[in-house]
Amino acid sequence: MEISTEAKLEPFLQWLQVNKVELRGCKIKYSDESKGFGIFSSNEFSDGVLLVVPLDLAITPMRVLQDPLIGPECRAMFEDGEVDDRFLMILFLTVERLRKNSSWKPYLDMLPTTFGNPLWFTDDELLELKGTTLYRATELQKQNLLTLYDDKVKDLVKKLLVLDGDSESEVSFEDFLWANSIFWTRALNIPLPHSYVFPQNQEDLNKYDSINNSAELSNDHNSRGELINGLNDINLKAAATWEVDGTGLITGVPFSMYLLSVERSSFHSEKEISISYGNKGNEELLYLYGFVIDNNPDDYLMIHYPAEAIHSIPLSDSKALLLEEQKAQLRCLLPKSLLEHGFFAAGHPKDGNNDNKLEVDRISSFSWSGQRRMPSYLNKLVFPENFLTALRTIAMQEDEISKVSSLLEELVGSGGERQPSDAEVRAAVWETCGDSGALQLLVDLLQAK
């Protein structure tokens, strides 16, 4: 039976209190249907510390390996390198979601049950992405997750549930997919204090004695993914940052994390607090988190000619060889802001070693050079030359391939005394084809995207 939105909050607040989480300058309340619950500022703070969470409430690889149910089953796999730290935490979330009497239930009930990233798309929705790099990445990722679920997760979770006294619950791929999404949308990199990873007193040493190789769980004590529970209601656009207080000098709570306001002088009561996902384009945001931002200033455009499509075009073998000889690239990644003025950069022409090399390549003093007039846009196109090189080659006609071969024979001899350089091949392709076919193919790719 699904718990109503309002009914989830009170048990969660009680759970936070029992686990010594301190809401000092904030409160948790429902934001809206798209965001769920959020954290909002209050008038009750003066030092900028909004929230304090003990590190013991973090789901970490160490916690999973110490878990009396999961640890014994996973320790050998982890030490042998069969699974990594991310797997441990995703497995933990999968199991705790299915356990009937999980101590994490108030927290887990607050989390979303579905996500907007492409892994959760229906078949029809996923078809909308066909032809993009995101479509292929999603297909590969889902297949990898299915393989991991079938090979390692399914039977292991069933075994753990039976050991826990539950022989009735059934695990599904959706449970594992949910746990994977929870991890990737909520995990944080935490610089764990050395004294927390390696406790010094005898009581703590006994506590951690079951994991003799705990150093392997962190790299310079920076966890590669930890879930700090109670923090997950924070939404986009940074107004606060997370900090670690190992000694308790700042918060009065040793081994804790605290949410620090970055707007101490202008924080208004009842303002929703948010953290930043970083400078990410919409494709990455959709793939990882399931949302996009209108007019995203960090958005990038990936233009890609699929390598597998080359095999279906005329003269594919000859063109594939030319692409290899020219060291051409079949994709490019550009900030969308560069395209505000079309194909050409605003202001000054592009400069840099690559463009100078391009000009030298095109006007090299071969016997056949200079018959094609250099274009006025030579150093203004925003697209990388290595990508345009690929498009010129793909768009070539049969007679143009023959002409390129003839031009190169003049340089290296009909007997093939030496191999032409990549610069010589590029120059021959340019002299033969120009940019007409490449620019038309570029327009086609942009329209398809």
Side-chain angles (χ1 to χ4, degrees), residues 94 100 104 118 131 153:
T94 305
K100 292 182 177 179
W104 299 88
V153 176

Side-chain angles (χ1 to χ4, degrees), residues 57-99:
L57 204 57
I59 298 175
T60 67
M62 183 183 295
R63 169 184 282 278
V64 178
L65 292 176
Q66 290 174 303
D67 185 87
L69 175 66
I70 301 178
E73 298 295 328
C74 292
R75 192 172 297 119
M77 288 194 302
F78 182 76
E79 290 174 352
D80 292 342
E82 293 181 34
V83 298
D84 59 14
D85 48 4
R86 297 181 180 94
F87 175 90
L88 294 177
M89 287 181 280
I90 293 171
L91 177 69
F92 181 87
L93 289 167
T94 305
V95 172
E96 292 300 325
R97 187 190 199 202
L98 295 167
R99 292 178 79 175

Side-chain angles (χ1 to χ4, degrees), residues 59-62 78 81 83-89 183-184 186-192 214-227:
I59 298 175
T60 67
M62 183 183 295
F78 182 76
V83 298
D84 59 14
D85 48 4
R86 297 181 180 94
F87 175 90
L88 294 177
M89 287 181 280
F183 175 84
W184 286 108
R186 283 159 170 77
L188 300 173
N189 289 318
I190 303 172
L192 295 175
S214 59
E216 297 177 9
L217 301 181
S218 56
N219 179 15
D220 294 331
H221 321 306
N222 283 279
S223 168
R224 286 179 288 172
E226 319 255 337
L227 290 174

Side-chain angles (χ1 to χ4, degrees), residues 30 111 151 170 257 269 294 310 328 355 372:
Y30 189 70
L111 299 175
D151 292 349
E170 291 290 333
M257 279 190 70
S269 179
D294 289 338
I310 294 176
D355 298 308
R372 182 174 295 279

